[in-house]
Amino acid sequence: MQEAAKYIEDTYAKILKRDPDQIEFLQAVKEFIGSIEPVFTAHPEFIQQNILEQMIEPERIIQFRIPWMNDQGETKVNRGFRVQFNSANGPYKGGLRFHTSVNQSIVKFLGFEQIFKNSLTGLPIGGGKGGSDFDPKGKSDNEVMRFCQSFMTELQQHIGPDLDVPAGDIGVGAREIGYLYGQYKRLNGSKAGVLTGKPVFLGGSLGRTEATGYGVVYFTDKMLQDTGESFKNKKVVVSGSGNVAIYAIQKVHELGGKVIACSDSDGYIWDPDGIDYTTIKQLKEVERERISEYVQYHPKAYYYEGSIWDIEKEYQVALPCATQNEIDGENAKKMIEKGVIAVAEGANMPSNLDAIAVYQEAQILYAPGKAANAGGVAVSALEMSQNSQRLSWSFEEVDEKLESIMESIYIEVRDTAKTYHMPGNFVVGANIAGFMKIAQSMISQGLV
Ligand code: NDP
């Protein structure tokens, strides 16, 4: 066996032995190492410095108790996490997720992906992620506020504008960021740069709310254009109906496509006239309702229980924007049968390894999340710049910068895949391009 292949295999065996139960984390590592052998063959110094094992082990994991009181006066206890994965390129940066499924494996997988995503943006940020197994669904605003205050009471000592800058993710939107920031400020004074995704009147950036959804569509558009295609007259399926999905739907329509279906964790809606994103926005962001309510406002639409990827309609572009592992090999085969020519991931790791193999076998365009959904963190980094300079850029300025960053990421990913003799393989392109900058940065700083 080649030295590089053996090094990678041995490193994976060590990780497997250390954390055999961390299914999602192991999956993310496996997907990553499946494409980086050519780099280790070309750079034996990376093997000598054992860079892969250093990169796979987080710099620090903080786990803590979050006691809070519900509206009935009962004391509840949740578990909080922050994984400070890699600071080679700058302060740790990555979102907080509030969802019942959150555990150490999930935050480690998200933090690991975040390192390479942040590196691809070309901005000076390291990688981190955090969250809690708290479920904001069905909780009153006061309960969410008390939980956020307790969460931040512990987290505040580990974060700071030049140290670690959290943002939102599943279950953490403008409401939660507002409460988290309020508590941070109460304990440390006003430092807007400590969190991103803040409401605009608290120092948030215009365009941050839209950034991940718009970004995934910009990336997909560049990818389609390179093959002589575009969104024009394409039918599109978007999973989820949260922050990423809502603005992806809006942008697809602006670019001439038609989103025919979107979902939540209970089911999906199909609207032959195209999904009206303003209704989704009202239902999800304001009323915090279920997606099934959509049909009350759009009588031609249908609601179906179950996975959106079982949809029995023809479509050409799939934008998974809900959660990890929502698409397996069978779902992926079904997509191909329905005419899909491009998949771009708004969510993190929504396609499992079998699904990715199906896309690659069918030779359709496939953009992995760490490249396609980098728009959110890119605009978060722009929010950090605005906060430190005490500036506020217009929506148009931010949107223009976002589109240009997504285009640069696309070009870098595409060209890296070509350089490593796998043109069109954006998994290889994203992993290698993201990895190179971190590896070089880590080596230049010596063992730390
Ligand atoms: P939100 O909480 O705003 O929305 C999540 C959406 O996904 C909801 O519609 C939710 O439905 C659905 N969902 C959650 N879990 C499941 C599940 N198990 N099965 C089916 N549907 C599910 O989160 P975001 O939109 O912020 O995040 C979506 C994805 O995008 C995540 O993978 C996140 O990591 C990724 N991402 C987000 C970024 C951001 O800027 N927000 C940046 C980069 C990536 P329900 O309401 O029923 O729970």
Side-chain angles (χ1 to χ4, degrees):
M1 193 189 285
Q2 296 284 319
E3 191 190 5
K6 183 167 179 341
Y7 169 68
I8 291 169
E9 199 180 294
D10 289 351
T11 308
Y12 185 72
K14 278 191 213 163
I15 308 303
L16 192 58
K17 197 164 168 214
R18 257 185 205 150
D19 294 308
D21 303 328
Q22 297 190 351
I23 310 293
E24 295 83 2
F25 176 58
L26 291 169
Q27 182 186 335
V29 172
K30 203 164 187 174
E31 184 262 355
F32 175 72
I33 61 173
S35 50
I36 50 160
E37 189 185 323
V39 180
F40 283 87
T41 305
H43 294 272
E45 71 275 17
F46 291 163
I47 301 179
Q48 281 146 21
Q49 309 237 10
N50 195 8
I51 205 75
L52 185 59
E53 192 177 350
Q54 290 190 64
M55 219 178 257
I56 289 173
E57 188 63 18
E59 288 176 22
R60 195 170 302 104
I61 300 180
I62 300 143
Q63 184 183 310
F64 49 100
R65 181 182 63 183
I66 314 157
W68 59 280
M69 195 166 280
N70 71 10
D71 288 344
Q72 288 70 48
E74 297 160 341
T75 299
K76 299 284 172 190
V77 178
N78 284 93
R79 186 172 275 183
F81 299 93
R82 186 71 184 164
V83 179
Q84 297 181 330
F85 222 119
N86 192 304
S87 59
N89 278 356
Y92 308 103
K93 182 89 199 83
L96 297 171
R97 176 177 289 193
F98 292 169
H99 191 269
T100 48
S101 63
V102 168
N103 56 29
Q104 202 179 108
S105 171
I106 301 249
V107 279
K108 275 179 71 182
F109 117 65
L110 290 164
F112 184 66
E113 296 257 305
Q114 196 80 42
I115 306 170
F116 307 104
K117 180 187 311 192
N118 294 3
S119 163
L120 283 171
T121 66
L123 299 164
I125 40 179
K129 201 83 189 189
S132 170
D133 57 3
F134 173 76
D135 183 4
K137 258 184 261 165
K139 304 284 189 306
S140 69
D141 283 354
N142 278 333
E143 288 175 322
V144 171
M145 179 183 73
R146 286 193 292 271
F147 172 81
C148 289
Q149 289 172 339
S150 182
F151 183 89
M152 185 52 89
T153 301
E154 172 63 28
L155 188 68
Q156 55 90 23
Q157 62 189 300
H158 306 291
I159 61 175
D162 297 315
L163 172 63
D164 183 350
V165 184
D169 189 80
I170 291 180
V172 180
R175 172 182 62 169
E176 289 75 16
I177 292 287
Y179 293 148
L180 290 165
Y181 182 59
Q183 182 69 353
Y184 182 87
K185 205 174 78 166
R186 194 166 291 121
L187 298 170
N188 298 284
S190 186
K191 284 184 200 158
V194 74
L195 287 168
T196 59
K198 297 178 291 295
V200 173
F201 47 85
L202 292 179
S205 175
L206 287 163
R208 172 60 187 93
T209 310
E210 294 83 356
T212 310
Y214 281 14
V216 70
V217 176
Y218 288 143
F219 190 100
T220 314
D221 192 41
K222 311 290 169 211
M223 190 168 77
L224 288 169
Q225 279 177 22
D226 245 1
T227 58
E229 294 278 0
S230 76
F231 269 108
K232 222 152 198 69
N233 302 322
K234 295 276 182 311
K235 288 189 182 153
V236 181
V237 168
V238 175
S239 65
S241 49
N243 174 257
V244 181
I246 290 172
Y247 298 98
I249 296 171
Q250 183 195 12
K251 189 52 77 178
V252 168
H253 289 159
E254 274 177 32
L255 296 186
K258 188 202 258 189
V259 176
I260 56 164
C262 72
S263 63
D264 62 17
S265 54
D266 296 329
Y268 65 97
I269 45 167
W270 168 72
D271 188 339
D273 289 341
I275 299 287
D276 175 7
Y277 97 94
T278 57
T279 308
I280 305 285
K281 208 166 130 61
Q282 176 67 21
L283 285 174
K284 291 303 204 175
E285 286 183 353
V286 183
E287 295 173 23
R288 299 185 188 278
E289 267 295 351
R290 308 307 297 158
I291 197 82
S292 51
E293 292 300 308
Y294 180 92
V295 298
Q296 309 289 337
Y297 303 92
H298 299 273
K300 276 204 238 158
Y302 284 84
Y303 173 71
Y304 304 86
E305 278 181 6
S307 165
I308 190 168
W309 304 115
D310 288 334
I311 188 166
E312 291 295 344
K313 304 285 171 199
E314 303 271 307
Y315 61 105
Q316 293 79 45
V317 179
L319 303 178
C321 296
T323 193
Q324 67 274 358
N325 290 331
E326 53 174 296
I327 304 171
D328 62 15
E330 290 308 308
N331 299 138
K333 281 186 200 150
K334 201 158 185 185
M335 275 182 191
I336 310 289
E337 279 166 26
K338 298 291 166 206
V340 167
I341 59 164
V343 179
E345 297 180 338
N348 286 308
M349 209 170 73
S351 311
N352 76 7
L353 294 170
D354 292 342
I356 297 171
V358 172
Y359 306 148
Q360 289 177 337
E361 168 88 29
Q363 298 190 336
I364 62 167
L365 296 169
Y366 166 56
K370 60 171 82 73
N373 71 33
V377 74
V379 172
S380 275
L382 301 181
E383 184 173 327
M384 288 162 74
S385 301
Q386 292 170 81
N387 290 156
S388 64
Q389 298 175 74
R390 300 191 188 280
L391 286 176
S392 173
W393 297 331
S394 69
F395 181 89
E396 290 71 24
E397 267 177 287
V398 174
D399 190 30
E400 210 172 282
K401 288 185 206 298
L402 168 67
E403 187 167 3
S404 144
I405 291 171
M406 295 316 293
E407 181 164 23
S408 309
I409 296 176
Y410 172 68
I411 291 170
E412 189 176 11
V413 166
R414 180 197 62 192
D415 292 353
T416 305
K418 276 190 203 150
T419 305
Y420 284 88
H421 310 295
M422 282 181 257
N425 188 331
F426 300 141
V427 175
V428 166
N431 285 338
I432 294 183
F435 169 84
M436 284 304 283
K437 282 184 230 166
I438 310 281
Q440 284 158 346
S441 177
M442 285 173 77
I443 286 177
S444 70
Q445 294 173 58
L447 282 181
V448 283

